[in-house]
Every structure is written in C-alpha cells, then in structure tokens.
Amino acid sequence: GIGILVVILGHNYVKGSVSGLEKFIFSFHMPFFFLLSGMLFKPDYPLLVLFKRRFVTLIRPYITTIVLLYSVYFFYTDIKLMTLLRRVVRSLYASGNYIEWAQLWFLPHLFLLNMFAGFLFLLFYGRIKWLWLRLIFLAGMLWAGVAFLPIYYMQEVAIAGQTILLDGLPLSLDLLLVTATFFLVGFEMRKLVPERFYASPWTLVISGLVLITLNIIFPYRIDFF
C-alpha cells in the first residue's frame, strides 16, 4: 500500500512542490516493486502455464488499455488515421517513450521478466544449492546489466536505409538483467526471512531510516524508465 502511494506521488504534481520528494521517491520505488514481484514469483509453474497466466494478468491489460486509449483519440480528437496507426505500431514496441501512456512500460517488462526468471530456474538457478553462490551470480548479473545499459540507449541504428534513434530495446529488454536482480533478491527474501519480520513495525521504522540515510550519502535516482 505504501509502495502504491509512493508511485502515485511519483507521477503527481505534488512531487514538484515538496523539495527533495521526487529524488527520494525515484531512489527506490521501481526497484521496490520488482522486488515485491519476485517475492510473489512461483518457479514451480511449467513455462507454458507461467506464460498463459502472465499473459492474462499483464499483456492482456496492456493491450486493452492501448486499444481504449487510441479509441478515445480516434473518436474524440481530429487525429489522422495514419498518424493513429503509426502510434499504435509504436506502442507494440512496448518500451518507454514509444508508448503514448509511458507508465504502461512496467506491464510488458514484468511479463518478460517473469518468463526470463522461469527460464533461469529451469536451466540452472533453481539447481544452485548454495545461497552464497546464488548471491555471487546475482551480483554478477547486476554488474553485467548496468554495463549493458548504455549500449542501446539513444543509439543511432540504420534500418531499411533510414537512421533511427533507438531509445532502448523492445519491452525494455535492455533493463532485464538489472530488474531481474531485484526480482530474484525478492524471491530469496521470501524464502529466507521469517514472516514476523515483515509484520513488525520496527521493520518499517528501521528500513525507513536506512533508506533516508542512503539517500543522504548517495543522492542518486534509480529511474528504470
């Protein structure tokens, strides 16, 4: 609930009226939701079942919202049909600035992330018995993901004789190794940390103080968009 309220504030004019609020929110709110998603991840599902479940809960709402959004444009604005169709095609790229309603990027990427985690568990992650080895793998994946980010961000590519400025990869694929790290850390936390830890008000107080301290020492944004 707190996380949802923070996301709302992050997309609201209030963030500009309170000094430092936007920087504070964007230091943790999206990693927090990927971590929560990982806590709810169930690797026991076969990949086909996982695909169907996540398609229904993530991709279908995304497509439905896109259809509704552009239907409003078509019937209630004077937008030209070809312009509308180009925007629809752009939205199928499902990443960041290619989507008219940019905040929707989270849904297709979370779908991709669930499938990626499912593949990892099937191939080898679920077979790694030692926690320390899994944590080393996650640290390496995070490092590789951060190093990979600049490669496809605002890069010029030639397609069919035209030069296009590539603003990331489809479904925010360029973010995958970074978001997957938070996702799998959440999965590990669900297994390792007792439930009473999350129910304690001291957890909220202490983690809040740690978060504020980290913001003071490291005044950076973690803005996946």
Side-chain angles (χ1 to χ4, degrees):
I2 293 172
I4 291 171
L5 290 174
V6 167
V7 168
I8 292 172
L9 284 174
H11 296 89
N12 190 284
Y13 71 92
V14 174
K15 66 183 179 183
S17 60
V18 180
S19 178
L21 180 61
E22 181 177 10
K23 182 179 70 66
F24 177 75
I25 291 172
F26 279 85
S27 71
F28 76 95
H29 76 313
M30 289 313 299
F32 175 66
F33 267 98
F34 282 113
L35 185 138
L36 283 180
S37 299
M39 294 182 76
L40 300 173
F41 178 67
K42 295 181 179 179
D44 301 332
Y45 290 132
L47 285 179
L48 184 58
V49 174
L50 181 64
F51 179 89
K52 290 178 178 178
R53 289 175 67 93
R54 292 297 173 262
F55 188 90
V56 169
T57 57
L58 296 169
I59 298 301
R60 193 163 69 181
Y62 176 77
I63 294 173
T64 301
T65 306
I66 292 295
V67 170
L68 289 173
L69 180 65
Y70 288 111
S71 296
V72 170
Y73 280 175
F74 181 73
F75 289 109
Y76 294 99
T77 71
D78 57 356
I79 189 172
K80 295 180 179 179
L81 181 60
M82 289 306 298
T83 302
L84 184 67
L85 291 176
R86 281 197 297 269
R87 291 187 180 182
V88 171
V89 171
R90 277 171 57 91
S91 70
L92 297 179
Y93 198 83
S95 176
N97 289 318
Y98 293 96
I99 309 172
E100 197 78 21
W101 193 356
Q103 291 85 350
L104 290 173
W105 74 271
F106 180 74
L107 294 178
H109 184 73
L110 189 56
F111 170 80
L112 175 69
L113 179 54
N114 273 266
M115 298 310 302
F116 178 67
F119 272 111
L120 279 185
F121 270 90
L122 183 64
L123 292 176
F124 65 90
Y125 191 85
R127 303 175 188 177
I128 303 176
K129 297 180 180 180
W130 303 285
L131 175 62
W132 63 268
L133 192 55
R134 295 198 301 272
L135 293 179
I136 289 175
F137 171 78
L138 292 179
M141 185 166 67
L142 179 61
W143 177 85
V146 173
F148 183 77
L149 277 177
I151 297 176
Y152 289 102
Y153 180 66
M154 304 306 284
Q155 296 291 331
E156 291 185 353
V157 294
I159 300 177
Q162 292 186 341
T163 301
I164 299 175
L165 190 63
L166 197 63
D167 189 3
L169 294 177
L171 285 77
S172 301
L173 177 62
D174 42 321
L175 292 171
L176 185 60
L177 296 182
V178 177
T179 56
T181 302
F182 288 102
F183 188 86
L184 291 175
V185 166
F187 175 80
E188 297 288 356
M189 287 177 64
R190 187 189 71 185
K191 293 194 304 179
L192 296 171
V193 181
E195 189 172 336
R196 63 180 181 274
F197 173 82
Y198 300 110
S200 170
W202 285 108
T203 301
L204 180 63
V205 172
I206 294 173
S207 61
L209 291 174
V210 170
L211 181 60
I212 292 170
T213 303
L214 288 172
N215 266 270
I216 294 171
I217 300 173
F218 306 104
Y220 306 122
R221 292 165 62 105
I222 307 180
D223 187 353
F224 289 142
F225 176 73

